[in-house]
């Protein structure tokens, strides 16, 4: 069966960047091979899950040999389309937005926040590193000119849905939503919701129960 015919579960896809980052670290430390047990210990994901995840991607390793790190790295890189630069815009340059623009994804030099927007005249025109905060009124014009593919929302929850409507109308197909608001978007648009509260809660749960 070809890779295209296999429906890879969302949970597996969400773990891909973790695998990528970990394998990249191994590669940079001159490690040649890694077993699913080592991956499991390093990533704190049980080895059965790792083996199942990897089984969706075909023959990535040999039994008893472990996985070839260079091969894995290349595979994850391609799968994550790391060889294409993904341009990201952020809307809402307050506490969280400023931190994210400053951070600008050290995991990869192929994903970049290239534009930032806000509605507050006190924030518009500010520079955060190389990024100048633009007036949200100019959103459509700028994302088209800069070929932006993903939008991060770090605005108050009350502004999130109307901005999501505007963002999807402009043709953006991916939103990373940090607001507490559950967004309704047209089909074909992907929304990932990040909630530190839920992450913490699940960490506490695992600490208590495992
Ligand atoms: N997901 C998480 O784990 C997490 C953690 C902290 C905060 N948050 C959420 O992230 C969001 C931002 O938090 P914050 O502390 O940075 O808030 P903040 O008030 O510091 O920043 C929000 C920014 O959005 C701007 N804004 C408001 N309406 C806008 C609009 N229509 N268009 C463009 N810009 C607009 C404001 O001018 C402000 O600069 C909130 O929704 C908060 O609940 C999420």
């Amino acid at each position: 069966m070809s890779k295209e015919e296999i429906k890879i579960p969302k949970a597996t896809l969400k773990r891909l960047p973790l695998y990528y980052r970990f394998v990249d670290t191994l590669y940079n430390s001159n490690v040649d091979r890694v077993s699913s047990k080592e991956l499991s210990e390093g990533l704190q994901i049980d080895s059965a899950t790792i083996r199942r995840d990897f089984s969706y991607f075909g023959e990535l390793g040999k039994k008893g040999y472990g996985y070839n790190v260079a091969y894995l790295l290349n595979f994850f890189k391609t799968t994550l389309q790391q060889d294409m630069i993904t341009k990201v815009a952020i809307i809402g340059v307050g506490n969280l937005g400023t931190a994210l623009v400053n951070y600008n994804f050290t995991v990869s030099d192929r994903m970049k926040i290239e534009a930032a927007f806000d509605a507050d005249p006190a924030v518009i025109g500010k520079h955060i590193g190389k990024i100048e905060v633009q007036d949200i009124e100019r959103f459509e014009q700028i994302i088209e000119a800069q070929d932006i593919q993903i939008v991060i929302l770090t605005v108050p929850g009350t502004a999130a849905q109307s901005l999501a409507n505007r963002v999807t109308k402009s043709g953006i197909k991916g939103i990373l939503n940090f607001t507490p608001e559950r967004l309704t978007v047209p089909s074909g648009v992907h929304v990932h919701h990040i909630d530190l509260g839920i992450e913490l809660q699940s960490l506490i749960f695992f600490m208590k129960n495992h």
Side-chain angles (χ1 to χ4, degrees):
M1 210 187 320
S2 79
K3 233 182 358 194
E4 287 69 33
E5 289 169 85
I6 302 169
K7 182 115 177 66
I8 299 172
K10 243 186 178 171
T12 299
L13 291 176
K14 273 184 122 172
R15 282 189 284 271
L16 273 184
L18 299 179
Y19 293 142
Y20 171 72
R21 193 156 33 181
F22 188 71
V23 168
D24 190 42
T25 308
L26 292 177
Y27 183 78
N28 288 323
S29 316
N30 297 319
V31 176
D32 292 336
R33 288 177 206 179
V34 62
S35 65
S36 45
K37 187 165 173 277
E38 287 163 328
L39 283 168
S40 164
E41 281 164 6
L43 287 164
Q44 297 291 298
I45 299 173
D46 71 278
S47 49
T49 302
I50 292 178
R51 278 195 299 272
R52 198 182 49 239
D53 282 351
F54 282 25
S55 72
Y56 290 109
F57 308 130
E59 284 297 307
L60 285 183
K62 288 186 203 128
K63 223 180 158 113
Y65 170 92
Y67 301 97
N68 178 304
V69 169
Y71 181 81
L72 280 186
L73 181 64
N74 190 40
F75 174 82
F76 291 131
K77 220 181 200 167
T78 319
T79 311
L80 286 166
Q81 293 187 312
Q82 294 280 334
D83 37 9
M84 272 167 52
I85 293 190
T86 305
K87 295 180 179 177
V88 180
I90 191 158
I91 306 181
V93 194
N95 295 309
L96 187 57
T98 303
L100 292 177
V101 176
N102 274 322
Y103 173 66
N104 220 334
F105 314 125
T106 46
V107 62
S108 161
D109 56 1
R110 295 195 164 98
M111 247 176 358
K112 274 214 160 70
I113 295 179
E114 298 237 321
F117 299 91
D118 206 287
D120 181 351
V123 179
I124 296 165
K126 251 177 52 177
H127 279 85
I128 302 161
K130 286 185 194 150
I131 308 275
E132 182 182 350
V133 181
Q134 305 286 343
D135 189 339
I136 187 66
E137 287 310 313
R138 299 188 58 218
F139 176 77
E140 288 79 4
Q141 186 191 344
I142 291 172
I143 61 145
E144 196 188 341
Q146 299 198 8
D147 194 21
I148 301 287
Q149 291 133 304
I150 291 179
V151 163
I152 302 178
L153 280 183
T154 44
V155 291
T158 46
Q161 184 62 58
S162 63
L163 280 167
N165 296 346
R166 189 167 168 185
V167 164
T168 52
K169 218 168 163 192
S170 73
I172 296 284
K173 297 279 185 249
I175 298 177
L176 191 59
N177 177 28
F178 278 91
T179 81
E181 199 68 20
R182 295 282 153 177
L183 301 175
T184 308
V185 292
S187 66
V189 176
H190 297 275
V191 178
H192 278 209
H193 186 236
I194 295 185
D195 189 323
L196 289 187
I198 289 178
E199 297 295 330
L200 262 180
Q201 238 170 20
S202 93
L203 173 65
I204 294 165
F205 175 84
F206 277 100
M207 286 166 72
K208 280 192 184 146
N209 294 287
H210 293 275

